[in-house]
């Protein structure tokens, strides 16, 4: 694991860690959430410092960071596209929809387009099952999305650059 | 949230004679706000409190507009309606209060908006787009004409004059979708401002807490009523809540912890979220009562990170309660203390399992551990811990208020009270419903849910999520109660109820759940980790077309049903936690009730529902084809031949069964068989 930490990242990290009491294991997940909130992902170089603050080994931090779906160790794109793969959406065709979005972006779920514009993710039930199948882009809901409408939906965000 | 600056709250002191504060708690604080002032009889104070109570009950001198701002309402378009309507209100110079409320449960009618004029009942409008919102403003608020054609019904209010013209409209609760419901948990959802403590208190909220503390018996009364009520856990297992509380109460070791499981992992269910978003105080009051009954002074709500609005509402409510002295030390001067924190999950289904959840709170990977010891003996940091589901807690205040016997009068012999379901899938009136236990599935699907979308044939209902099962038409008369559902091969689960029509393939559904479980298995035990992977492989083999198969694979396919059953047995018997033990259920229940469908896939290589595309043959209907070339241009395999304006043909040898041609054709000219 690389331990190079540039001074501005270090500075930011210190700010994030400050409100969390040191040496408290139960703060690990909230700390990781706060770091991801700021950086958009968990830069690998931050894990050592986090571990030192919490009082656990970097391996333990890594273990927790990779166990939970929420945490990403890679930076994300500008826009985050989430296709719901909950049961209600599945019954209304979300698998084909996911394939269509993946094809349109040229990536698989969990990946980011090479130009860094979009990250594709799946999610289990967004609680809007009555307008299934549901896709959110940057948190905006799109209901009853049809495979043939995918291109248009993505274009509106692409233009927002 | 209100747009006008919030007036003085009902929870504030009426004058300087009021001594209540978190530091100097008054035992009568809640009673005083509901019926007081109690410690003095100043007419000015009585008038002031009455006015605040009225405001909290929405008895106002100006109209109120309620906008359904739950996730489903916002998703359906309410976020666009609100600003447009605000603009219109300003243009007309109308003095109106706009209140954001949670989900009422009629998700199929979202976006929804209600208007209440002073002294009139509340008029409800559905499918509100910008145009309709503006029409409501002009016709109802400006011209004072009751727009009967736009409304779906009214809700009576305490201040409504009997001769209000609105009473010509039907009562909302008489709608078929609502008339058979019985709302205990959802009582306030969609009706009150979830961020306003005084609205909850004005409707009797925290009255149960005051009663329990006044009893001065360390929660014994609460425990007895919950035992009498026969309340069973709503998180899936159905363990008697009173017994769990008794066990934790009996532990000598302190401190004890109380945990609310708001992880709601079932992918297709959102009951807990709606309650937390629409009426968070009901859950917190239930927790306070539970904490009193078991003797806990610290509590956690473990909430999915995917529910940011619910988390926001909870944090706001906790802060307000602490500020009023209703959470913290020495609540209402009783000596009872309870500190409550919210813990955000991090996206792992297995963390809904109680021991995994506790590990996650402690900052570890969310892996289940062997029980015993049960959390009641050794939970958070080795201390006695009691874990209950959101909906379980949401029932407790009503039980303490009205008595366990009243609660137990609803439901069946061994399943008491009501259950909230998220009714989804190919159903007409999808949304949140709360029905008495003991209703049949047929009643839930057809009477409450209005039947199948587009009047297609009913095929199955999936109940209980990834741990549950699929029940066919023949089982529609199964009662909704814990034991009947288990006997039928499904389970109550947390309340996801997904209805499916004839176009849903049961093999595909089993594969969907198996994929979910395979991804979510924590990996601790081999039968669950490897077994679910193997089961998924077998299910994938079933839908793989001939040409991608070698002879070995064909042989394997013939054995697939037998292998599925064998694996299911092993996984069920040897997995450590509930996730693994119930993982085979979706496969077993579909095998039990839809075996012929598996056989059609395995031996006849067809998918009767037309859902497994890899097994379908795509052809072009010459009569419908206009020769637009769209399909040929989109086919990834270059399998479609045809010149412009001429009928196209699909080369079956090249076709990869992706179905793109069928999706893109604007003339429905591509057939799949
Ligand atoms: C894999 C798995 C997932 C679970 N998910 C949840 C959940 O999301 N919400 C919940 O309340 N209970 C869930 N449970 C059940 C809990 O382990 C526990 O039994 C429950 O929270 C107890 O509360 P109750 O007695 O009020 O039902 C899950 C269990 C398992 C095995
Ligand atoms: S049964 Fe599965 S989820 Fe449960 S502990 Fe074992 S591997 Fe983990
Ligand atoms: S199903 Fe796919 S591969 Fe086959 S003809 Fe249609 S578009 Fe081409
Ligand atoms: S299953 Fe997709 S929103 Fe619920």
């Amino acid at each position: 694991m690389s331990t190079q930490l540039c001074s501005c990242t270090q500075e930011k990290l210190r700010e994030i860690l400050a409100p969390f009491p040191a040496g408290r294991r139960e703060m690990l997940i909230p700390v990781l959430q706060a770091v991801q909130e700021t950086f958009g992902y968990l830069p690998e170089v931050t894990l050592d410092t986090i571990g030192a603050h919490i009082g656990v080994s970097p391996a333990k931090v890594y273990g927790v960071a990779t166990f939970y779906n929420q945490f990403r160790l890679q930076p994300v794109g500008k826009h985050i596209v989430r296709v719901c793969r909950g049961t209600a959406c599945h019954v209304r065709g979300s698998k084909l929809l996911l394939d269509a979005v993946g094809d349109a972006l040229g990536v698989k779920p969990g990946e980011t387009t090479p130009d860094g514009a979009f990250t594709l993710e799946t999610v289990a039930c967004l609680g809007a099952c009555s307008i299934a199948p549901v896709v959110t882009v940057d948190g905006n809901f799109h209901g009853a999305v049809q495979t043939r409408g995918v291109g248009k939906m993505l274009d509106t965000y692409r233009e927002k650059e | 949230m209100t747009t006008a600056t919030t007036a003085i709250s009902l929870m504030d002191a009426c004058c300087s004679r009021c001594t209540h504060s978190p530091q100097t708690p008054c035992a009568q604080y809640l009673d005083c706000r509901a019926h007081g002032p109690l410690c003095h009889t100043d007419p000015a104070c009585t008038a002031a409190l009455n006015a605040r109570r009225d405001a909290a009950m929405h008895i106002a001198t100006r109209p109120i507009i309620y906008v359904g701002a739950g996730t489903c309402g916002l998703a359906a378009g309410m976020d666009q309606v609100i600003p447009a309507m605000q603009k219109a209100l300003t243009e007309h110079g109308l003095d109106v209060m706009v209140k954001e409320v949670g989900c009422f449960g009629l998700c199929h009618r979202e976006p929804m908006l209600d208007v209440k004029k002073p002294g009139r009942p509340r008029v409800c409008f559905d499918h509100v787009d910008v145009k309709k919102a503006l029409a409501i403003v002009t016709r109802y608020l400006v011209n004072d004409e009751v727009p009967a054609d736009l409304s779906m019904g009214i809700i009576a209010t305490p201040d409504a004059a009997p001769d209000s013209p609105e009473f010509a409209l039907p009562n909302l609760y008489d709608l078929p979708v609502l008339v058979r419901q019985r709302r205990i948990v959802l009582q306030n959802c969609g009706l009150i401002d979830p961020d306003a403590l005084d609205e909850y208190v004005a409707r009797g909220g925290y009255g149960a807490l005051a009663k329990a503390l006044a009893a001065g018996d360390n929660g014994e009364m609460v425990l007895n009523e919950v035992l009498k009520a026969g309340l069973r856990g709503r998180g899936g297992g159905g363990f008697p809540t009173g017994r769990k509380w008794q066990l934790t109460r009996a532990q000598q070791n302190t401190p004890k912890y109380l945990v609310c499981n708001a992880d709601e992992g079932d992918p297709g269910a959102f009951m807990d979220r709606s309650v937390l978003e629409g009426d968070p105080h009901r859950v917190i009051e239930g927790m306070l009562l539970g904490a009193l009954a078991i003797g806990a002074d610290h509590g956690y709500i473990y909430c999915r990170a995917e529910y940011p609005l619910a988390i926001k509402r909870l944090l706001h409510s906790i802060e307000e309660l602490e500020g009023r002295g209703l959470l913290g030390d020495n609540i209402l001067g009783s000596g009872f203390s309870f500190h409550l924190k919210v813990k955000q999950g991090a996206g792992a289904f297995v963390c809904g399992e109680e021991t995994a959840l506790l590990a996650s709170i402690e900052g570890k990977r969310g892996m289940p551990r062997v029980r015993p010891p049960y959390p009641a003996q050794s939970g958070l940091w080795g201390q006695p811990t009691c874990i209950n589901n959101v909906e379980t807690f949401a029932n407790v205040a009503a039980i303490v208020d009205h008595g366990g016997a009243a609660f137990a009068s609803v439901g069946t012999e061994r399943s008491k009270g009501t259950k909230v379901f998220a009714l989804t899938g190919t159903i007409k009136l999808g949304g949140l419903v709360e029905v008495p236990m003991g209703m049949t599935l047929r009643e839930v699907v057809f009477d409450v849910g209005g039947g199948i979308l587009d009047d297609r044939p009913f095929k199955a209902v999936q109940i209980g999520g990834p741990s549950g099962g699929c029940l066919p038409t023949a089982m529609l008369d199964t009662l909704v109660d814990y034991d009947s559902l288990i006997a039928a091969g499904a389970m109550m689960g947390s309340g996801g109820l997904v209805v499916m029509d004839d176009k849903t393939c049961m093999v595909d559904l089993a594969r969907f759940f198996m994929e979910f479980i395979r991804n979510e298995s924590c990996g601790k035990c081999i039968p669950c980790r490897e077994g679910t992977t193997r089961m998924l492989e077998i299910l994938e083999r079933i839908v793989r077309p001939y040409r991608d198969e070698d002879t070995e694979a064909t042989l394997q396919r013939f054995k697939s049903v037998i292998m599925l059953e064998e694996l299911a047995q092993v996984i069920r018997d040897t997995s450590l936690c509930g996730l693994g033990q119930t993982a085979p259920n979706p496969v077993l229940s579909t095998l039990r009730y839809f075996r012929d469908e598996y056989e059609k896939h395995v031996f006849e290589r067809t998918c009767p529902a037309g859902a497994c595309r890899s097994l379908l043959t795509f052809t072009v209907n010459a009569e419908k084809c206009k020769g637009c070339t769209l399909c040929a241009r989109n086919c990834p395999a270059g399998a479609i031949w045809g010149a412009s304006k001429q009928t196209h043909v699909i080369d079956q040898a090249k076709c990869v069964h992706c179905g793109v041609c069928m999706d893109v054709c604007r003339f429905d000219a591509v057939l799949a068989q």
Side-chain angles (χ1 to χ4, degrees):
Chain A
M1 208 181 293
S2 137
T3 47
Q4 290 295 323
L5 203 55
C6 77
S7 59
C8 72
T9 310
Q10 192 137 33
E11 185 57 35
K12 245 196 221 161
L13 193 56
R14 233 194 323 256
E15 261 172 50
I16 301 169
L17 292 176
F20 295 96
R24 298 262 303 272
R25 174 79 195 246
E26 77 267 27
M27 288 295 150
L28 178 54
I29 293 171
V31 164
L32 292 174
Q33 283 166 337
V35 172
Q36 177 156 303
E37 175 84 25
T38 307
F39 293 101
Y41 72 111
L42 298 174
E44 212 166 297
V45 292
T46 62
L47 301 186
D48 280 5
T49 318
I50 294 173
H53 186 84
I54 296 294
V56 297
S57 68
K60 286 245 157 68
V61 179
Y62 195 76
V64 168
T66 49
F67 180 85
Y68 292 99
N69 298 331
Q70 187 187 18
F71 299 122
R72 316 183 187 96
L73 294 163
Q74 302 296 328
V76 283
K78 216 170 190 164
H79 304 290
I80 298 187
V81 184
R82 307 177 96 190
V83 180
C84 178
R85 287 291 286 133
T87 320
C89 287
H90 175 77
V91 169
R92 299 249 199 127
S94 72
K95 178 77 178 75
L96 294 172
L97 186 60
L98 177 64
D99 292 346
V101 177
D103 285 348
L105 294 175
V107 293
K108 289 202 204 54
E111 295 177 351
T112 303
T113 53
D115 63 356
F118 291 97
T119 298
L120 176 60
E121 291 184 343
T122 58
V123 57
C125 195
L126 293 154
C129 313
S130 54
I131 53 170
V134 183
V135 178
T136 64
V137 188
D138 301 339
N140 300 316
F141 280 80
H142 297 263
V145 184
Q146 301 202 324
T147 45
R148 61 184 92 163
V150 163
K152 229 181 180 170
M153 177 184 77
L154 294 173
D155 285 343
T156 57
Y157 290 90
R158 206 169 270 137
E159 282 150 20
K160 273 189 203 160
E161 293 298 297
Chain B
M1 198 193 78
T2 53
T3 43
T5 40
T6 333
I8 300 170
S9 161
L10 172 63
M11 308 311 289
D12 289 331
C14 58
C15 70
S16 59
R17 274 166 291 191
C18 176
T19 56
H20 175 81
S21 78
Q23 291 73 39
T24 56
C26 168
Q28 262 91 51
Y29 176 49
L30 286 164
D31 199 19
C32 175
R33 292 307 184 266
H35 312 287
L38 299 180
C39 64
H40 56 277
T41 51
D42 188 331
C45 291
T46 311
L49 281 187
N50 280 340
R52 293 179 205 170
R53 278 191 282 266
D54 281 354
M57 293 301 291
H58 305 166
I59 300 170
T61 50
R62 53 180 180 152
I64 304 174
I65 296 182
Y66 304 82
V67 292
T71 305
C72 48
L74 293 173
M78 187 49 94
D79 49 345
Q80 277 143 39
V81 173
I82 297 174
M85 194 181 60
Q86 295 272 20
K87 197 165 147 249
L89 292 172
T90 320
E91 277 167 14
H92 288 291
L94 292 168
D95 180 21
V96 175
M97 182 192 289
V98 179
K99 260 185 200 292
E100 285 184 12
V101 293
C103 174
F104 186 72
L106 303 178
C107 302
H108 60 284
R109 288 178 183 262
E110 294 283 4
M112 284 180 10
L113 174 156
D114 303 352
V115 181
K116 184 191 172 321
K117 292 187 177 186
R120 308 274 191 88
R122 182 165 165 170
V123 185
C124 312
F125 302 93
D126 56 350
H127 298 300
V128 179
D129 52 14
V130 172
K131 202 170 132 214
K132 188 161 173 180
L134 299 184
I136 295 166
V137 170
T138 329
R139 288 174 56 188
Y140 192 38
L141 289 172
V142 179
N143 301 344
D144 198 21
E145 159 217 345
V146 179
D149 53 323
L150 304 181
S151 163
M152 61 169 170
I154 55 156
I155 300 172
T157 55
D159 66 329
D163 59 350
S164 303
E166 288 85 352
F167 279 116
L169 295 169
N171 187 328
L172 192 72
Y173 289 100
D174 289 338
L175 288 182
V177 61
L178 283 162
V179 75
R180 305 219 40 199
Q181 292 192 41
R182 172 98 184 227
R183 294 194 157 205
I184 299 173
V185 171
L186 298 181
Q187 193 184 335
N188 286 337
C189 276
L191 297 180
I192 68 168
D193 178 352
D195 276 339
L197 171 61
D198 53 353
E199 297 201 2
Y200 182 67
V201 169
R203 285 163 183 77
Y206 292 105
L209 174 70
K211 184 170 159 187
L213 291 177
D217 57 0
N218 283 322
E220 206 171 313
M221 178 271 282
V222 174
L223 181 63
N224 286 336
E225 292 305 325
V226 171
L227 282 168
K228 231 189 283 171
L231 175 65
R232 294 172 67 174
R234 301 295 194 242
F239 191 83
T241 306
R243 270 239 306 284
K244 201 188 270 187
W245 289 9
Q246 229 169 3
L247 289 172
T248 326
R249 183 183 172 91
Q251 300 294 316
Q252 301 299 323
N253 201 351
T254 54
K256 297 178 192 172
Y257 295 97
L258 182 68
V259 176
C260 174
N261 189 341
D263 199 43
E264 194 154 62
D266 176 357
F270 51 94
M271 309 72 49
D272 294 350
R273 197 212 50 206
S274 297
V275 175
L276 292 171
E277 282 181 9
D279 199 10
H281 285 293
R282 182 171 299 273
V283 180
I284 298 176
E285 185 175 10
M287 287 191 78
L288 276 158
L289 293 164
L292 183 66
I294 66 166
D297 51 9
H298 283 272
Y300 291 96
I301 301 177
Y302 186 90
C303 187
R304 278 183 88 188
E306 289 88 339
Y307 290 175
L309 186 58
I311 293 172
K312 195 177 118 204
R313 295 257 155 89
L314 283 170
L315 291 173
H316 172 89
S317 303
I318 290 172
E319 194 187 324
E320 193 169 5
L321 289 168
E322 284 170 349
R324 303 291 180 188
L326 294 171
L327 267 180
D329 287 325
N330 193 18
I331 296 168
L332 298 178
S334 63
F336 165 65
S337 303
F338 188 59
H339 299 266
L340 187 56
K341 289 204 185 81
V342 176
K343 278 271 176 184
Q344 267 191 53
F349 172 66
V350 70
C351 285
E353 198 278 338
E354 53 188 24
T355 58
L357 186 150
L358 297 179
S360 181
I361 292 183
E362 291 175 2
K364 301 179 182 147
R365 292 192 287 173
M367 284 195 172
R369 62 159 175 79
V370 181
R371 295 175 305 178
Y374 287 91
Q377 294 134 9
S378 172
L380 271 181
W381 298 289
Q383 295 301 120
T385 304
C386 176
I387 305 174
N388 284 112
N389 165 261
V390 170
E391 192 184 331
T392 311
F393 284 122
N395 274 298
V396 177
I399 291 173
V400 174
D401 262 336
H402 309 297
F407 184 87
S409 68
V410 179
T412 63
E413 176 71 28
R414 302 196 49 224
S415 302
K416 303 295 187 191
T418 60
K419 179 77 194 87
V420 182
F421 288 103
L423 200 51
T424 62
T426 53
I427 183 126
K428 276 189 191 151
L429 311 178
L432 270 196
V433 303
E434 183 172 355
V435 296
M437 299 266 192
M439 215 182 217
T440 64
L441 282 171
R442 187 188 304 281
E443 290 168 314
V444 177
V445 173
F446 288 93
D447 297 349
V448 178
I452 312 302
L453 213 58
D454 302 329
D455 290 318
R456 298 192 66 87
F458 169 91
K459 181 162 180 182
V461 52
Q462 210 287 338
I463 180 166
S467 311
C470 271
L471 301 179
T473 317
M475 301 302 287
L476 269 176
D477 291 313
T478 306
L479 301 189
V480 173
D481 74 26
Y482 292 96
D483 312 297
S484 310
L485 285 169
I486 297 247
M491 70 184 271
M492 180 75 86
S494 56
L497 228 164
V498 186
V499 177
M500 287 163 285
D501 65 11
D502 59 337
K503 286 207 280 194
T504 315
C505 167
M506 292 299 128
V507 177
D508 178 66
L509 190 79
R511 190 164 62 116
F512 164 78
F513 279 117
M514 202 41 79
E515 191 177 339
F516 178 83
I517 288 294
R518 196 269 320 256
N519 292 341
E520 296 296 337
S521 163
C522 82
K524 186 167 180 165
C525 25
I526 297 167
C528 170
R529 183 184 67 217
E530 297 301 324
T532 56
T533 308
R534 292 288 94 77
M535 283 182 83
L536 180 61
E537 278 171 10
I538 295 171
L539 289 166
E540 277 169 351
R541 209 148 50 208
I542 293 181
V543 295
R544 190 177 304 154
Y546 273 133
R547 56 192 226 158
D548 299 342
E549 260 182 357
D550 52 26
T551 33
E552 173 63 22
T554 309
L555 205 64
Q556 294 286 347
R557 166 162 56 82
F558 285 142
K559 292 195 286 192
S560 50
V561 170
I562 298 165
M563 291 195 296
L564 280 175
E565 281 174 336
E566 265 176 24
L567 270 169
Q569 200 63 42
V570 174
I571 296 173
R572 195 153 68 169
D573 293 346
T574 57
S575 290
L576 171 64
C577 85
L579 186 144
Q581 288 157 11
T582 58
N585 283 357
V587 171
L588 290 176
S589 70
T590 45
L591 268 176
R592 173 165 164 190
Y593 294 117
F594 299 95
R595 207 180 181 89
D596 56 325
E597 206 162 320
Y598 278 85
E599 284 166 359
K600 286 243 166 58
H601 282 73
V602 173
F603 302 116
E604 294 174 27
R605 315 272 42 220
T606 58
C607 173
C612 297
R613 292 194 164 186
S614 49
L615 295 184
L616 300 179
T617 308
F618 293 87
T619 51
V620 175
N621 178 344
E623 274 163 31
K624 284 192 174 175
C625 177
K626 300 254 194 282
C628 75
T629 74
L630 193 62
C631 59
R633 279 182 283 137
N634 278 285
C635 172
I640 307 183
W641 296 94
S644 174
K645 303 210 173 86
Q646 276 172 19
T647 304
H648 284 46
V649 181
I650 297 177
D651 179 349
Q652 297 302 333
K654 279 192 177 171
C655 175
V656 295
H657 308 272
C658 69
V660 164
C661 48
M662 188 168 72
D663 292 337
V664 297
C665 181
R666 300 206 181 96
F667 309 102
D668 288 331
V670 180
L671 302 174
Q673 275 149 348

